[in-house]
Amino acid sequence: MHGAKPIPKSFAASGPLRGIVRVPGDKSISHRALMFAALAVGESRITGLLEGEDVLATAAALRAMGADIVRADGTWTVHGVGVGGLMQPETALDMGNSGTSTRLLMGLVASHPITATFTGDASLSQRPMGRVSDPLSLTGAEFGASPLGTLPLMVRGICPAVPISYRLPVASAQVKSAVLLAGLNTPGITEVIEPVPTRDHSERMLKGFGADLSVETDAEGVRTIRLMGEAELKPQDIDVPGDPSSAAFPIVAALITPGSEVTVMNVGMNPTRTGIYKMLEAMGAGLTYRNEREVGGEPVADITAKHSALKGITVPPEVAPSMIDEFPIFFVAAAMAEGTTTASGLEELRVKESDRLAFMAAGLTAIGAKVEEREDGLTIEGNSGKPLTGGAMVVSALDHRIAMSFAIAGLATEGGLQIDDMSPVATSFPGFEDMLSELAGK
Ligand code: S3P
């Protein structure tokens, strides 16, 4: 696991970035593919799975609860235990850095007659889990956590659990999914009401696995998701598309580096994930989408980005959930734009793998950008395409997306920059630095 030994690295201005690359599989879909396959009866096969530390933590936990998961020639084969068939893990489940693994698996365990303890690294151990244990407690499951509601945390599942109707108080696909996953092994209808839409991979994939799930959207855009338990899941073959969150790094790198043209193949284009591309286009980014198609029930395209003169914008707060993981790299694009960029309504960024508003503001300021940090967002005065000063050491704070965002920012500095620790990148983007070198022709 990363974090054992920091890996400091320097990044400096590069010539034009050119080439055609792929990024690893979608992290959200990879976690769900393993979990749903582990609950199906029979053999599922998964290709394109993200083989990063976060997803490997999910695989290890599912194995510890009885699923048979093997990898051969890049294909992952899963023999599921069936809904209701998860077994008591013998030791604590180590979730590493992965909030998605923790929160979704808490949902699964809640409606099984087992007890599991979740542990994690220093970053994950600071993240709020009450947002998941609160609704799951209503089903009858019991939770024991440290006083602040953080890991280490024990879940005592209950079977049969009580089906609940839950209105999400925060826009969170993880909370939505945890409640739905508990509903899989709960007799009756589990309902989640989602006032602000978040990524809908759980809904799409559960339907694909044969669950009885419906989604209703009212005139105000409020979504009501109903899942009938106990569900029977049928094994599936899944091809995981490239992660739009990972693709944002080479794409922003091309947009801010003069002379660049980069194509990223096979990128997921689910509308609940593409806010970053819409906002970059609103800034004047030259993006082209080709070969638009469906892969595994998800829209996919090849995206080409050309160096562009970006202009500052105001990001509407309602767009935030569809680009929630992309704000760190978006702030780098904003620092290179002409004019002011303002983004608000981003309180959730303070409880991600790090406090992303604080660490992005601090790092960007250290390399010469003009940034104002507010409680719920940032305002950035762009440098009109001119390189930032650089010359500083920035902190990645056990956060893969902070590390990768500053690696890209380094390309747009006069003096380069140093990152104290690049090891977190292994959670979501193995091969990130090799991809950058390939695009720079090094
Ligand atoms: C995810 C949901 C989001 C996102 C995370 C992955 C998911 O978290 O930030 O990287 O796979 O459901 P929240 O639900 O906390 O917004």
Side-chain angles (χ1 to χ4, degrees):
M1 284 284 176
H2 79 268
K5 190 168 180 294
I7 305 178
K9 282 267 163 69
S10 299
F11 292 87
S14 121
L17 303 172
R18 295 190 158 265
I20 301 175
V21 291
R22 283 179 175 265
V23 292
D26 189 281
K27 185 155 74 68
S28 294
I29 296 176
S30 294
H31 285 297
R32 288 161 174 80
L34 287 172
M35 290 182 198
F36 301 160
L39 290 177
V41 178
E43 180 180 299
S44 295
R45 291 151 57 86
I46 310 167
T47 48
L49 190 86
L50 166 61
E51 296 180 349
E53 288 174 358
D54 279 14
V55 175
L56 299 181
T58 288
L62 292 168
R63 282 192 189 109
M65 291 189 282
D68 176 20
I69 304 176
V70 281
R71 177 189 188 277
D73 299 330
T75 298
W76 288 71
T77 305
V78 181
H79 287 100
V81 295
V83 169
L86 292 179
M87 290 179 331
Q88 173 73 45
E90 281 174 15
T91 54
L93 304 173
D94 181 1
M95 301 286 94
N97 189 248
S98 181
T100 311
S101 311
T102 311
R103 292 181 176 140
L104 270 56
L105 290 171
M106 282 169 67
L108 277 187
V109 169
S111 60
H112 278 73
I114 60 177
T115 296
T117 300
F118 293 89
T119 61
D121 73 2
S123 150
L124 184 58
S125 299
Q126 287 181 29
R127 300 183 65 187
M129 295 298 154
R131 55 179 57 198
V132 174
S133 57
D134 287 350
L136 293 178
S137 297
L138 304 173
T139 71
E142 289 174 4
F143 294 83
S146 57
L148 294 174
T150 50
L151 300 192
L153 174 151
M154 197 187 75
V155 185
R156 193 186 308 279
I158 176 118
C159 189
V162 177
I164 61 167
S165 171
Y166 190 67
R167 191 181 173 91
L168 293 178
V170 275
S172 166
Q174 293 179 353
V175 177
K176 166 175 68 177
S177 301
V179 173
L180 290 174
L181 296 201
L184 285 174
N185 196 40
T186 302
I189 295 174
T190 293
E191 186 176 82
V192 180
I193 300 153
E194 189 178 50
V196 183
T198 64
R199 67 191 66 196
D200 63 356
H201 305 300
S202 294
E203 296 93 304
R204 286 176 187 243
M205 293 176 73
L206 282 172
K207 274 196 211 164
F209 273 86
D212 181 354
L213 180 144
S214 66
V215 182
E216 210 179 283
T217 308
D218 74 9
E220 275 82 52
V222 177
R223 296 170 83 245
T224 301
I225 305 142
R226 293 189 186 92
L227 172 73
M228 174 63 90
E230 297 146 314
E232 245 177 66
L233 301 187
K234 295 182 193 63
Q236 299 295 305
D237 285 350
I238 298 170
D239 192 7
V240 181
D243 197 323
S245 302
S246 299
F249 296 105
I251 285 171
V252 169
L255 293 174
I256 64 173
T257 309
S260 298
E261 178 168 336
V262 168
T263 297
V264 187
M265 305 288 281
N266 198 43
V267 183
M269 288 278 105
N270 180 314
T272 61
R273 299 285 301 280
T274 47
I276 178 71
Y277 300 112
K278 293 191 190 110
M279 291 303 105
L280 289 171
E281 283 178 326
M283 296 173 88
L287 299 181
T288 320
Y289 306 90
R290 290 200 188 81
N291 201 6
E292 293 181 45
R293 59 201 186 273
E294 273 225 347
V295 172
E298 293 275 347
V300 160
D302 304 332
I303 309 180
T304 301
K306 284 188 186 168
H307 172 249
S308 303
L310 301 176
K311 289 205 169 8
I313 57 165
T314 296
V315 180
E318 64 273 16
V319 176
S322 66
M323 58 182 290
I324 196 67
D325 290 337
E326 286 67 71
F327 279 100
I329 189 64
F330 176 77
F331 293 144
V332 172
M336 292 304 291
E338 183 194 335
T340 308
T341 295
T342 305
S344 316
L346 303 181
E347 296 85 349
E348 275 294 298
L349 292 195
R350 296 206 179 270
V351 290
K352 293 293 180 189
E353 286 83 329
S354 70
D355 177 341
R356 287 182 172 161
L357 293 179
F359 283 102
M360 285 309 298
L364 284 172
T365 304
I367 59 173
K370 294 195 191 77
V371 183
E372 183 208 332
E373 180 183 347
R374 287 170 287 103
E375 196 43 44
D376 74 333
L378 299 186
T379 300
I380 299 177
E381 193 63 49
N383 216 28
S384 303
K386 293 189 296 291
L388 297 165
T389 333
M393 160 80 91
V394 297
V395 173
S396 63
L398 290 179
D399 187 332
H400 53 137
R401 298 198 205 279
I402 300 282
M404 290 187 278
S405 298
F406 281 115
I408 302 299
L411 307 178
T413 56
E414 277 163 12
L417 56 72
Q418 267 211 310
I419 300 177
D420 69 334
D421 184 12
M422 281 299 281
S423 69
V425 173
T427 61
S428 73
F429 202 151
F432 170 77
E433 287 175 53
D434 291 344
M435 176 200 68
L436 274 190
S437 306
E438 185 188 323
L439 289 174
K442 286 182 194 150

